[in-house]
Amino acid sequence: MNATITPVGGPELAERAARELEEASAAEIISWAARTFGDGLCMTSSMADALMVDLASKSVPGIDVVFLDTGYHFPETIGTRDAVASVYDINLINVEPVRTVAEQDLALGPRLHGRDPAICCHLRKVEPLQRALEPYSAWLTGLRREDSVTRRDTPVVQWDRRRRMTKVNPIARWTQEQVDTYMAENGVMVNPLQYDGFPSIGCEPCTRRVAPGEDPRSGRWAGTGKTECGIHV
């Protein structure tokens, strides 16, 4: 897509759209974003599954999909990324941190993720995403209100003050039942780790299996008190 984007939108547009689109379908919300932002629209994906990729590529064929390649991903996640890029009508943008894992270890010491996961997430996720989103005016995410307490008030459209762009969350209202139904009916590609006790998939050193009945996100940064990587807060 065109890398030269004319900025559009603002907090007033986002607030109005959040009200008007609260009851709209995910496809309608994505279509609104595509009409409003044109080539200034992208999406992000962690490659835990291709639900949002499937939805977005149907409404916006060839959409730019940003994947943060932290250097710490499970092999299954990298495999899912490559399969998604080959199957769906998208333009995958693989974004890497400024430093490789080895360079980070040399500069800040090994296993920074264990000593200070907040700094590690900032260097390997937050800062790279900031750079990757600079050419765009809006981005689609797969945030859902059911995901966690910190996300229960997520609007379907919001103004991202830190990045000064519009953030669109088409499936914010979806329940897990709706997710499961859509994925089954549409044959959505799924990271195989989902079937091996990893309902929420992050970097390999900071993600553990989740026991039946546990909070799906309890396997992320377990025992650290950390619940978000910093991208969405």
Side-chain angles (χ1 to χ4, degrees):
M1 289 190 174
N2 188 356
T4 303
I5 304 300
T6 301
V8 296
E12 295 81 11
L13 172 66
E15 290 170 10
R16 183 172 69 252
R19 293 192 302 269
E20 295 177 352
L21 296 171
E22 171 63 19
E23 300 300 325
S25 69
E28 289 170 336
I29 295 169
I30 294 169
S31 294
W32 168 85
R35 291 193 306 272
T36 304
F37 301 103
D39 283 354
L41 178 68
C42 70
M43 68 164 287
T44 53
S45 177
S46 66
M47 298 300 167
D49 59 57
L51 170 56
M52 273 299 302
V53 171
D54 186 272
L55 281 166
S57 63
K58 288 174 178 175
S59 297
V60 194
I63 188 170
D64 289 350
V65 176
V66 174
F67 173 75
L68 301 177
D69 190 347
T70 66
Y72 282 121
H73 282 301
F74 290 92
E76 291 88 345
T77 300
I78 299 301
T80 301
R81 175 203 64 186
D82 295 344
V84 165
S86 66
V87 169
Y88 292 92
D89 188 359
I90 63 169
N91 176 39
L92 180 75
I93 299 176
N94 195 71
V95 178
E96 298 178 351
V98 172
R99 290 175 173 145
T100 65
V101 170
E103 290 169 341
Q104 178 174 292
D105 287 350
L106 185 62
L108 301 175
R111 296 185 57 79
L112 179 62
H113 52 78
R115 293 181 287 108
D116 197 329
I119 291 180
C120 191
C121 282
H122 180 82
L123 294 174
R124 310 205 73 76
K125 290 185 176 182
V126 179
E127 192 280 329
L129 181 63
Q130 181 72 30
R131 286 187 285 107
L133 291 179
E134 285 177 359
Y136 303 97
S137 300
W139 58 309
L140 302 173
T141 84
L143 291 182
R144 293 191 303 117
R145 294 168 188 169
E146 274 196 358
D147 283 340
S148 66
V149 172
T150 59
R151 299 179 180 184
R152 63 187 174 189
D153 296 322
T154 300
V156 294
V157 182
Q158 64 188 119
W159 178 247
D160 186 335
R161 289 180 175 84
R162 178 170 56 177
R163 301 179 180 91
R164 298 194 59 77
M165 65 190 303
T166 303
K167 187 175 178 181
V168 184
N169 312 302
I171 60 172
R173 295 183 293 110
W174 280 28
T175 63
Q176 187 60 49
E177 182 180 0
Q178 287 175 292
V179 169
D180 294 342
T181 298
Y182 182 90
M183 292 179 66
E185 291 180 349
N186 292 273
V188 173
M189 192 174 294
V190 179
N191 187 320
L193 290 172
Q194 294 266 11
Y195 305 117
D196 192 26
F198 293 89
S200 181
I201 304 166
C203 292
E204 185 170 9
C206 300
T207 308
R208 67 162 175 81
R209 285 182 175 84
V210 172
E214 280 190 294
D215 185 307
R217 287 184 62 83
S218 64
R220 305 287 295 278
W221 308 286
T224 67
K226 183 175 170 63
T227 59
E228 296 279 355
C229 66
I231 287 175
H232 297 296
V233 294

